Amino acid sequence: MTERFNDQLNEWKKQVERTNERFPERKEQFVNKSDIEIDPLYYPKEDQVDGEYSEKVGFPGQYPFTRGIQPSMYRNRFWTMRQYAGFGSAEETNKRFRYLLEQGQTGLSVAFDLPTQIGYDSDDPMSEGEVGKVGVAIDSLEDMETLLEGIPLDQVSTSMTINAPASVLLCMYIAVAEKQGVPKEKVTGTIQNDILKEYIARGTYIYPPKPSMRLITNIFEYCANEVPKFNTISISGYHIREAGSTAVQEVAFTLANGMAYVDAAIESGLAVDQFAPRLAFFFNAHNNFFEEAAKFRAARRIWAKMMKEKYKAQNEKSWRLRFHTQTGGSTLTAQQPDNNIVRVALQALSAVLGGTQSLHTNSRDEALALPTEESARIALRTQQIIAHESGVADTVDPLAGSYYVEQMTDEIEKEVMAYIDRIEEMGGAVQAVEEGYMQREIHQTAYETQKKIESQEEIIVGMNEFKIEEEVHEDLLRVDEQLEQRQVNQVQNIRGKRDQSQVDEQLNKLKQAAQTDENLMPYILDCVKSYATVGEICHVLRDEFGEYTGM
């Protein structure tokens, strides 16, 4: 055991040297307030190493990545502070993006309105009353150009929370980058593109599962060849948790969905190492601090084992579970909203100690409305205080070796694997979704949690205990009610000034390609460049693929 431990230790030291050559450490010397030097990593002494340490815990940057996917984690670079924003018009959202970048945000994250998420234009009768309400309205390439105006896409990484029409919005992003003179090879970011969790927990689906999976694997293949730095999917546990699942269910169902995407990509003819290094994940962070930190560590270890042992991936990058974290929206209360600042700080800290690659911190007023500029700034400052003032980023995985954290990591892994085995016995995640298995499990958990809150077995400070009389909040952000008509006018104006014959030609080519096994991404990109709208493109695919109407 000592020989293996020493081999791992020496390999870790070499990895750190290589990392430091590319990205020098943030400080010449890391010390605490008592001027005690902080080592890059803490681990057992040779005579204290037990039989499980090398196998289950090991070193950061090494399989099974329990302690993190990078050898030096935040000693070189902090996680990406990627605040989620989007409301009203593209112009207003662009102003918020610029403000957040000026305040020190290091990546963009776009929220789209409901019509955009389900493939309708702003002037569609189905969109009435929802335009710009929960995110930004994007109808055509012109809106995307406005959204990203003045933002250098070769320097800023962008995450887009979009699923059913992910191929369309990604093509719009690529087209804007090209207009900026940024080649596809340099574009970085992430699209969520996770349709299975929409059937399970969120509901913004368009097409049935099979053609939806085709679109996802088309994106995998296209980006592997054309946009190699873009993360082609963010397999999302966040919404599963928001729907009421436990931490264990969040990880289990997310990784089961991840396996389904890997299976579909392999079935389409892709080699696992061709696409797996660009897979990314998206998790929630709730209030039970140690459970959350252990959850992230367990998820990394499970995924590494799956990719290496089940899928026989050879590239180490295929084994690494890279993930974004968002603090728990469902944990925020409308009562005493300032309490949410404390909740978010705890949740963000658990994500950092769990080794997240990027992080969004929710704003205090999100249980009431879209966040104000002040609330968004406080949320970002929360991350910056953790990064620069807490000291938790000065050493890698400081929770490692805690009896509680290590056992909790093991227990979560065990419970997650029991769920995954059950789903595999059913035929995999797609079959489990179609049978409603995951949905039933989440609904039961949500019901049990609500009963505990109502009986005060579970205390929510300010909501069911420690209550006060409160005044109506006057300083909430409200979306201009005139926005919808302006957006309707804008999309109709686009249709009036574009070359309609070119639009019709490109949409017809997409229709013909959808009837074959061809990759649809080049056809969608041509439609986007002709200023075909999101709704027009999605309606072509609706006609070919049909619509999913639920269970």
Side-chain angles (χ1 to χ4, degrees):
M1 177 53 65
T2 301
E3 183 179 350
R4 182 178 179 186
F5 176 82
N6 284 332
D7 287 344
Q8 289 176 316
L9 176 58
N10 291 331
E11 175 57 28
W12 171 76
K13 289 178 178 177
K14 291 176 185 176
Q15 288 178 305
V16 170
E17 286 180 10
R18 291 195 295 268
T19 300
N20 290 344
E21 288 174 4
R22 293 182 62 208
F23 307 106
E25 290 190 334
R26 293 182 286 108
K27 303 176 185 178
E28 288 187 14
Q29 186 180 28
F30 289 85
V31 295
N32 63 20
K33 296 299 182 184
S34 301
D35 209 32
I36 298 171
E37 187 171 352
I38 300 169
D39 292 341
L41 186 73
Y42 292 87
Y43 45 85
K45 306 302 180 188
E46 285 187 37
D47 59 354
Q48 297 173 333
V49 178
D50 61 29
E52 292 189 335
Y53 182 84
S54 294
E55 185 76 27
K56 297 172 70 173
V57 182
F59 289 84
Q62 295 181 24
Y63 181 87
F65 305 102
T66 307
R67 301 196 66 180
I69 63 168
Q70 302 295 343
S72 52
M73 289 301 287
Y74 311 131
R75 296 263 295 197
N76 301 90
R77 295 183 296 175
F78 291 125
W79 58 94
T80 302
M81 299 179 194
R82 191 189 298 282
Q83 291 299 107
Y84 187 49
F87 57 91
S89 68
E91 185 178 15
E92 289 174 350
T93 303
N94 176 265
K95 290 177 183 176
R96 175 62 64 86
F97 283 161
R98 287 168 177 258
Y99 172 78
L100 288 169
L101 290 170
E102 287 168 3
Q103 296 299 314
Q105 178 173 307
T106 52
L108 300 179
S109 186
V110 187
F112 297 96
D113 73 353
L114 189 58
T116 305
Q117 291 183 52
I118 53 178
Y120 290 105
D121 291 332
S122 295
D123 63 344
D124 193 295
M126 290 290 289
S127 302
E128 187 174 349
E130 293 295 338
V131 175
K133 288 294 176 66
V134 298
V136 61
I138 299 292
D139 290 310
S140 72
L141 178 58
E142 184 172 86
D143 289 324
M144 188 66 88
E145 289 167 350
T146 302
L147 178 72
L148 300 170
E149 185 178 352
I151 296 171
L153 300 188
D154 56 346
Q155 299 174 36
V156 175
S157 168
T158 304
S159 172
M160 295 187 283
T161 302
I162 195 72
N163 294 284
S167 54
V168 182
L169 275 299
L170 174 59
C171 285
M172 287 184 175
Y173 192 83
I174 292 168
V176 173
E178 288 181 350
K179 282 175 173 283
Q180 287 188 5
V182 178
K184 292 195 288 285
E185 302 79 39
K186 291 188 177 181
V187 173
T188 61
T190 304
I191 45 170
Q192 195 160 99
N193 195 28
D194 175 6
I195 201 64
L196 291 177
K197 68 95 176 47
E198 296 297 327
Y199 303 125
I200 296 169
R202 195 161 174 263
T204 61
Y205 43 72
I206 302 176
Y207 320 111
K210 190 171 181 180
S212 294
M213 296 294 277
R214 172 190 173 179
L215 286 170
I216 289 168
T217 55
N218 281 180
I219 292 170
F220 286 179
E221 181 182 29
Y222 179 81
C223 288
N225 296 323
E226 302 287 338
V227 200
K229 293 185 177 180
F230 212 88
N231 298 317
T232 51
I233 192 168
S234 178
I235 304 160
S236 176
Y238 182 85
H239 305 96
I240 290 170
R241 192 70 178 280
E242 290 292 283
S245 79
T246 64
V248 164
Q249 289 168 338
E250 176 192 359
V251 174
F253 299 162
T254 304
L255 298 189
N257 288 347
M259 293 166 66
Y261 295 126
V262 172
D263 290 337
I266 292 171
E267 191 175 327
S268 75
L270 295 175
V272 65
D273 287 320
Q274 189 178 352
F275 64 89
R278 301 314 303 173
L279 299 178
F281 290 80
F282 175 23
F283 289 115
N284 210 314
H286 274 218
N287 291 329
N288 195 305
F289 183 83
F290 289 106
E291 179 184 24
E292 294 302 303
K295 174 189 79 177
F296 299 126
R297 301 170 87 248
R300 257 196 311 272
R301 190 158 74 201
I302 295 167
W303 186 250
K305 290 179 181 178
M306 279 183 185
M307 296 309 293
K308 184 178 181 181
E309 297 173 10
K310 178 180 173 66
Y311 292 105
K312 310 300 181 186
Q314 300 299 308
N315 187 342
E316 283 197 14
K317 291 181 179 178
S318 299
W319 307 341
R320 295 175 183 169
L321 184 144
R322 298 171 302 118
F323 66 94
H324 170 72
T325 307
Q326 181 173 337
T327 56
S330 62
T331 68
L332 304 182
T333 62
Q335 302 87 350
Q336 301 178 44
D338 283 351
N339 293 347
N340 294 328
I341 298 173
V342 182
R343 293 186 176 103
V344 167
L346 283 169
Q347 294 164 6
L349 184 59
S350 75
V352 171
L353 290 174
T356 194
Q357 276 61 69
S358 69
L359 178 61
H360 165 88
T361 34
N362 289 332
S363 300
R364 59 183 172 178
D365 46 9
E366 288 188 44
L368 295 159
L370 291 167
T372 63
E373 199 169 86
E374 180 188 16
S375 295
R377 185 176 64 250
I378 292 170
L380 178 58
R381 293 287 183 261
T382 301
Q383 293 203 49
Q384 291 165 336
I385 289 168
I386 291 171
H388 295 281
E389 298 185 28
S390 71
V392 299
D394 290 349
T395 189
V396 182
D397 191 24
L399 294 183
S402 157
Y403 298 122
Y404 181 36
V405 171
E406 295 300 356
Q407 183 162 335
M408 181 63 65
T409 302
D410 292 347
E411 290 292 333
I412 290 174
E413 180 180 15
K414 177 182 174 184
E415 295 296 324
V416 166
M417 288 309 302
Y419 264 116
I420 288 175
D421 289 344
R422 209 170 305 148
I423 291 167
E424 285 290 278
E425 288 170 6
M426 297 174 69
V430 175
Q431 185 67 28
V433 168
E434 290 179 343
E435 294 183 16
Y437 168 69
M438 295 187 232
Q439 297 93 310
R440 289 193 302 273
E441 289 290 302
I442 294 169
H443 294 164
Q444 184 62 35
T445 298
Y447 173 67
E448 295 296 335
T449 299
Q450 186 59 33
K451 285 201 302 183
K452 290 178 182 178
I453 292 171
E454 290 175 1
S455 68
Q456 292 190 308
E457 181 181 343
E458 186 171 316
I459 298 297
I460 308 297
V461 174
M463 189 179 82
N464 66 354
E465 187 62 283
F466 313 113
K467 296 181 281 188
I468 60 173
E469 292 293 325
E470 296 184 77
E471 296 179 1
V472 176
H473 301 277
E474 299 292 344
D475 57 346
L476 300 175
L477 179 68
R478 289 177 171 83
V479 175
D480 183 358
E481 292 298 329
Q482 301 302 312
L483 164 78
E484 182 164 334
Q485 189 56 51
R486 290 199 299 270
Q487 192 68 24
V488 167
N489 294 342
Q490 187 166 317
V491 69
Q492 291 175 349
N493 183 51
I494 283 288
R495 293 199 189 97
K497 67 183 183 182
R498 67 190 183 182
D499 183 340
Q500 189 59 44
S501 62
Q502 185 184 20
V503 172
D504 292 340
E505 180 184 354
Q506 299 304 335
L507 289 173
N508 187 58
K509 287 181 178 179
L510 174 62
K511 178 182 176 68
Q512 299 300 319
Q515 297 169 5
T516 71
D517 293 331
E518 284 190 82
N519 190 311
L520 299 182
M521 285 293 288
Y523 296 95
I524 294 172
L525 184 59
D526 286 341
C527 289
V528 161
K529 289 179 177 179
S530 73
Y531 288 85
T533 65
V534 170
E536 290 166 340
I537 296 168
C538 289
H539 279 312
V540 166
L541 298 179
R542 275 187 173 95
D543 290 343
E544 295 304 316
F545 297 156
E547 284 192 85
Y548 185 71
T549 55
M551 299 299 298

